[in-house]
Short mmCIF file of all heavy atoms in Angstrom, two decimals:
data_model
loop_
_atom_site.label_atom_id
_atom_site.label_comp_id
_atom_site.label_asym_id
_atom_site.label_seq_id
_atom_site.Cartn_x
_atom_site.Cartn_y
_atom_site.Cartn_z
N PRO A 263 -346.32 27.66 -11.48
CA PRO A 263 -346.68 26.28 -11.12
C PRO A 263 -345.73 25.27 -11.76
O PRO A 263 -345.35 25.40 -12.93
CB PRO A 263 -348.09 26.12 -11.67
CG PRO A 263 -348.64 27.49 -11.76
CD PRO A 263 -347.47 28.37 -12.09
N PHE A 264 -345.35 24.25 -10.97
CA PHE A 264 -344.57 23.15 -11.53
C PHE A 264 -345.48 22.18 -12.27
O PHE A 264 -345.14 21.67 -13.33
CB PHE A 264 -343.82 22.41 -10.41
CG PHE A 264 -343.17 21.14 -10.86
CD1 PHE A 264 -342.03 21.17 -11.64
CD2 PHE A 264 -343.72 19.90 -10.54
CE1 PHE A 264 -341.43 20.00 -12.08
CE2 PHE A 264 -343.12 18.71 -10.97
CZ PHE A 264 -341.97 18.77 -11.74
N LEU A 265 -346.65 21.92 -11.67
CA LEU A 265 -347.61 21.01 -12.29
C LEU A 265 -348.96 21.70 -12.41
O LEU A 265 -349.42 22.34 -11.46
CB LEU A 265 -347.74 19.72 -11.48
CG LEU A 265 -348.70 18.64 -12.01
CD1 LEU A 265 -348.16 17.24 -11.73
CD2 LEU A 265 -350.10 18.79 -11.41
N VAL A 266 -349.59 21.55 -13.56
CA VAL A 266 -350.91 22.11 -13.81
C VAL A 266 -351.80 21.02 -14.41
O VAL A 266 -351.39 20.34 -15.37
CB VAL A 266 -350.85 23.32 -14.77
CG1 VAL A 266 -352.25 23.81 -15.10
CG2 VAL A 266 -350.01 24.44 -14.16
N ALA A 267 -352.99 20.86 -13.85
CA ALA A 267 -354.00 19.95 -14.43
C ALA A 267 -355.21 20.78 -14.81
O ALA A 267 -355.67 21.63 -14.03
CB ALA A 267 -354.39 18.88 -13.42
N ARG A 268 -355.73 20.54 -16.00
CA ARG A 268 -356.93 21.24 -16.48
C ARG A 268 -357.94 20.21 -16.97
O ARG A 268 -357.68 19.45 -17.90
CB ARG A 268 -356.57 22.20 -17.62
CG ARG A 268 -355.66 23.33 -17.21
CD ARG A 268 -356.41 24.39 -16.41
NE ARG A 268 -355.53 25.51 -16.05
CZ ARG A 268 -355.21 25.84 -14.81
NH1 ARG A 268 -355.70 25.13 -13.79
NH2 ARG A 268 -354.43 26.87 -14.56
N GLY A 269 -359.10 20.18 -16.30
CA GLY A 269 -360.16 19.27 -16.70
C GLY A 269 -359.78 17.81 -16.63
O GLY A 269 -360.32 16.97 -17.37
N LEU A 270 -358.88 17.47 -15.74
CA LEU A 270 -358.38 16.09 -15.65
C LEU A 270 -359.49 15.16 -15.17
O LEU A 270 -360.24 15.49 -14.24
CB LEU A 270 -357.19 16.02 -14.69
CG LEU A 270 -356.18 14.90 -14.94
CD1 LEU A 270 -355.47 15.12 -16.27
CD2 LEU A 270 -355.16 14.84 -13.81
N GLY A 271 -359.61 14.01 -15.79
CA GLY A 271 -360.64 13.07 -15.38
C GLY A 271 -360.26 11.63 -15.66
O GLY A 271 -359.44 11.35 -16.54
N ARG A 272 -360.84 10.74 -14.90
CA ARG A 272 -360.69 9.30 -15.12
C ARG A 272 -362.05 8.68 -14.83
O ARG A 272 -362.56 8.80 -13.70
CB ARG A 272 -359.60 8.71 -14.22
CG ARG A 272 -359.42 7.19 -14.40
CD ARG A 272 -358.26 6.68 -13.56
NE ARG A 272 -358.28 5.23 -13.46
CZ ARG A 272 -357.70 4.40 -14.34
NH1 ARG A 272 -357.07 4.90 -15.38
NH2 ARG A 272 -357.77 3.10 -14.17
N ARG A 273 -362.64 8.06 -15.81
CA ARG A 273 -364.02 7.61 -15.75
C ARG A 273 -364.30 6.77 -14.49
O ARG A 273 -363.59 5.80 -14.19
CB ARG A 273 -364.35 6.78 -17.00
CG ARG A 273 -365.84 6.51 -17.20
CD ARG A 273 -366.11 5.84 -18.54
NE ARG A 273 -365.77 6.77 -19.64
CZ ARG A 273 -364.70 6.63 -20.42
NH1 ARG A 273 -363.85 5.63 -20.21
NH2 ARG A 273 -364.46 7.48 -21.40
N GLY A 274 -365.32 7.19 -13.76
CA GLY A 274 -365.76 6.47 -12.56
C GLY A 274 -364.98 6.80 -11.31
O GLY A 274 -365.32 6.29 -10.23
N GLU A 275 -363.95 7.66 -11.42
CA GLU A 275 -363.11 7.92 -10.23
C GLU A 275 -362.97 9.41 -9.91
O GLU A 275 -363.06 9.80 -8.75
CB GLU A 275 -361.74 7.26 -10.42
CG GLU A 275 -361.87 5.73 -10.39
CD GLU A 275 -360.58 5.01 -10.70
OE1 GLU A 275 -359.67 5.63 -11.30
OE2 GLU A 275 -360.48 3.83 -10.35
N TYR A 276 -362.71 10.24 -10.91
CA TYR A 276 -362.68 11.68 -10.68
C TYR A 276 -362.93 12.39 -12.00
O TYR A 276 -362.77 11.79 -13.09
CB TYR A 276 -361.35 12.14 -10.06
CG TYR A 276 -360.14 11.85 -10.91
CD1 TYR A 276 -359.71 12.75 -11.88
CD2 TYR A 276 -359.43 10.66 -10.75
CE1 TYR A 276 -358.61 12.48 -12.66
CE2 TYR A 276 -358.33 10.37 -11.54
CZ TYR A 276 -357.92 11.29 -12.49
OH TYR A 276 -356.83 11.03 -13.29
N ALA A 277 -363.31 13.67 -11.93
CA ALA A 277 -363.68 14.38 -13.15
C ALA A 277 -363.45 15.88 -12.98
O ALA A 277 -363.56 16.43 -11.87
CB ALA A 277 -365.14 14.12 -13.52
N ASP A 278 -363.11 16.55 -14.10
CA ASP A 278 -363.02 18.01 -14.18
C ASP A 278 -362.12 18.61 -13.09
O ASP A 278 -362.47 19.62 -12.47
CB ASP A 278 -364.42 18.65 -14.10
CG ASP A 278 -365.30 18.24 -15.27
OD1 ASP A 278 -364.75 18.08 -16.37
OD2 ASP A 278 -366.52 18.06 -15.06
N VAL A 279 -360.99 17.98 -12.86
CA VAL A 279 -360.08 18.47 -11.82
C VAL A 279 -359.15 19.53 -12.39
O VAL A 279 -358.41 19.28 -13.35
CB VAL A 279 -359.25 17.31 -11.22
CG1 VAL A 279 -358.15 17.86 -10.31
CG2 VAL A 279 -360.16 16.36 -10.46
N ASP A 280 -359.22 20.72 -11.81
CA ASP A 280 -358.27 21.79 -12.10
C ASP A 280 -357.35 21.93 -10.89
O ASP A 280 -357.82 22.04 -9.76
CB ASP A 280 -358.99 23.12 -12.35
CG ASP A 280 -359.80 23.10 -13.64
OD1 ASP A 280 -359.49 22.27 -14.51
OD2 ASP A 280 -360.74 23.91 -13.76
N LEU A 281 -356.04 21.93 -11.14
CA LEU A 281 -355.09 21.88 -10.04
C LEU A 281 -353.79 22.55 -10.44
O LEU A 281 -353.31 22.38 -11.55
CB LEU A 281 -354.83 20.40 -9.68
CG LEU A 281 -353.84 20.08 -8.57
CD1 LEU A 281 -354.39 20.51 -7.23
CD2 LEU A 281 -353.53 18.58 -8.56
N GLU A 282 -353.24 23.36 -9.50
CA GLU A 282 -351.92 23.94 -9.69
C GLU A 282 -351.08 23.66 -8.45
O GLU A 282 -351.52 23.91 -7.32
CB GLU A 282 -352.01 25.45 -9.92
CG GLU A 282 -352.67 25.84 -11.23
CD GLU A 282 -352.63 27.34 -11.47
OE1 GLU A 282 -352.23 28.09 -10.55
OE2 GLU A 282 -353.01 27.76 -12.59
N LEU A 283 -349.89 23.13 -8.67
CA LEU A 283 -348.96 22.84 -7.58
C LEU A 283 -347.69 23.63 -7.82
O LEU A 283 -347.03 23.47 -8.85
CB LEU A 283 -348.66 21.33 -7.52
CG LEU A 283 -349.88 20.43 -7.30
CD1 LEU A 283 -349.49 18.96 -7.37
CD2 LEU A 283 -350.55 20.73 -5.95
#
Side-chain angles (χ1 to χ4, degrees):
F264 171 73
L265 181 145
V266 175
R268 295 285 182 244
L270 207 66
R272 180 176 166 88
R273 192 173 295 107
E275 292 174 340
Y276 60 88
D278 297 325
V279 171
D280 292 339
L281 179 69
E282 293 185 352
L283 300 175

